Amino acid sequence: VKRGGVIVGKGYAEKAGLEVGDRIELRGGTGSRSARVEGVLNAMGEFQGNSIQMSLATIRGVYGVREDAQLAVKARSLDELPALERAIDALVERDYPNLETLSAAEVKQQIDDEISRNFGLFNAIVAIAVIVSLLGVINTLAMSVLERTREIGVLRALGSSRWQVRLTMLHESLLITLSGALAGIAIGLVIARIWVGGLESLVPGISFSFPVATAAGVALVAVLLGTLAAILPARRAARLKPIEAIGYE
């Protein structure tokens, strides 16, 4: 970059078909220059990687800009890093209060916090969806008991115990909740894969992996919630009197 070269973002390099060693023409208000691509920057940044970085001398000669947009400082060793950070922070606070200093660790933490906030929002939506779905299961089973009152009465008259009637409701509830959980996991994996793919241009190195433990946990929770959702309808079905149930219209 000091020799007049430029560093291009990965997004711009892919769209323009640029590789290290290629040359591009820089044209600005104060001149033009042919610059060699010294590197492709695959890192999180503004404009989704559609950017070009160059030295102050180059941007001043081509575009007339006379101030640095950013300055990267690297410590000579890890032992000198704390003292360097304190010195830079003190300098910026004293002479440049309008500027902001960020370490690589702080940038990573900001990214992690932003992703965590997104997941928190998703988890809140999932919690609401689970509550609504449980109410739906309870309502479905309650309607099923009403619609099959005579059938339940016939089963009881033929010798079915109250426990067997409860098991019928439980099995139906588990079929509903498990089918919903499996469909949700499948659709969720597709959405997650698309979402992670969209983040690749913003967060280089991010990759998608199938959360086996989470999927198994969701299936287990579905079984438990399905059991809980079946309690009230199952109790109502088991308490039906056979004679009254058979005569129910």
Side-chain angles (χ1 to χ4, degrees), residues 10-91:
K10 183 180 179 182
Y12 181 80
E14 291 177 347
K15 293 178 180 179
L18 296 174
E19 296 180 353
V20 176
D22 294 342
R23 303 193 70 84
I24 61 175
E25 189 71 19
L26 303 176
R27 295 186 180 91
T30 57
S32 62
R33 181 178 303 179
S34 176
R36 183 178 185 273
V37 177
E38 300 292 345
V40 176
L41 183 62
N42 183 19
M44 182 176 181
E46 298 179 349
F47 311 113
Q48 298 183 354
N50 296 309
S51 61
I52 301 178
Q53 298 185 12
M54 61 193 73
S55 68
L56 182 59
T58 302
I59 198 171
R60 181 173 58 243
V62 178
Y63 302 100
V65 178
R66 299 182 178 278
E67 296 181 355
D68 288 311
Q70 61 180 357
L71 180 65
V73 180
K74 183 179 180 180
R76 287 178 295 185
S77 66
L78 293 177
D79 295 336
E80 298 179 356
L81 184 58
L84 178 62
E85 288 182 346
R86 289 193 297 270
I88 293 176
D89 289 340
L91 175 65

Side-chain angles (χ1 to χ4, degrees), residues 145-159 237 240-249:
V145 172
L146 290 176
E147 293 172 355
R148 292 155 50 189
T149 298
R150 294 187 65 181
E151 296 178 18
I152 296 173
V154 171
L155 290 175
R156 293 282 284 119
L158 293 176
L240 291 176
K241 297 180 180 180
I243 302 300
E244 295 179 359
I246 293 175
Y248 180 82
E249 294 294 338

Side-chain angles (χ1 to χ4, degrees), residues 102-124:
L102 288 174
S103 66
E106 289 172 336
V107 173
K108 292 179 181 179
Q109 187 61 46
Q110 287 183 350
I111 298 172
D112 184 73
D113 292 342
E114 183 63 29
I115 294 177
S116 297
R117 281 193 292 269
N118 288 333
F119 274 111
L121 176 61
F122 294 153
N123 291 335

Side-chain angles (χ1 to χ4, degrees), residues 191-210:
I191 295 175
R193 183 65 188 90
I194 296 174
W195 184 63
V196 171
L199 287 177
E200 290 178 352
S201 60
L202 295 176
V203 187
I206 191 172
S207 60
F208 175 81
S209 60
F210 180 73

Side-chain angles (χ1 to χ4, degrees), residues 208-220:
F208 175 81
S209 60
F210 180 73
V212 178
T214 301
V218 168
L220 178 60

